[in-house]
Structures are given as structure tokens and as C-alpha cells.
């Protein structure tokens, strides 16, 4: 069974309105099933305060074998 890790990455919006990865990410290094990982991403589980329309944090479930962005 393939296992997944939760990855949080930071993104910024450019002048064309496109989202670009800006170079910072965190991985929750406890392997889990894809369903468990997706349950952690569920917005009902998180409180958030979005005050800057040009930056965001993205949540992704990545296969444990994937390399983090560099």
C-alpha cells in the first residue's frame, strides 16, 4: 500500500495572476494512507485567517516516495 505525507507549501501570486511556488514547505513526516492524509487537509479541521490575497499556504498529500520541491 502506498503511504502519503502531508506537505504544506507557500505560494505567491505574480502580476499575471498566476500562483507560483515561492520556496518554503513543511512536511509532516508521519506516513499515512491517502484517505487519512486527505482527512487532515479537510478545511473544517483548520482555522485560518486570510488577509493577503497575494500569498497562500497550500496543503497536499504527496506519496512518501516523492521528493520535496527544491
Amino acid at each position: 500500500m502506498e503511504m502519503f505525507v502531508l506537505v504544506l507549501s507557500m505560494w505567491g501570486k505574480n502580476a499575471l495572476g498566476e500562483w507560483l511556488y515561492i520556496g518554503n514547505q513543511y512536511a509532516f513526516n508521519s506516513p499515512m494512507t491517502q484517505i487519512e492524509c486527505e482527512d487532515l487537509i479537510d478545511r473544517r479541521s483548520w482555522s485560518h485567517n486570510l488577509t493577503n490575497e497575494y500569498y497562500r499556504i497550500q496543503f497536499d498529500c504527496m506519496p512518501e516516495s516523492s521528493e520535496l520541491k527544491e
Side-chain angles (χ1 to χ4, degrees):
M1 174 188 297
E2 187 168 30
M3 300 299 281
F4 291 78
V5 293
L6 176 63
V7 176
L8 288 74
S9 56
M10 294 187 65
W11 295 75
K13 191 181 280 189
N14 68 14
L16 300 175
E18 302 166 329
W19 288 102
L20 303 172
Y21 173 66
I22 62 172
N24 294 321
Q25 64 186 1
Y26 298 89
F28 184 64
N29 290 317
S30 292
M32 61 194 91
T33 66
Q34 186 173 7
I35 292 172
E36 290 171 325
C37 187
E38 289 171 353
D39 284 347
L40 282 177
I41 293 176
D42 187 339
R43 286 197 170 266
R44 293 171 289 180
S45 300
W46 297 87
S47 297
H48 58 278
N49 183 18
L50 306 174
T51 59
N52 189 325
E53 64 184 283
Y54 300 104
Y55 292 97
R56 73 174 189 209
I57 296 173
Q58 181 170 305
F59 296 74
D60 293 293
C61 292
M62 302 296 294
E64 184 181 22
S65 59
S66 297
E67 290 187 29
L68 297 177
K69 295 182 184 210
E70 295 187 20

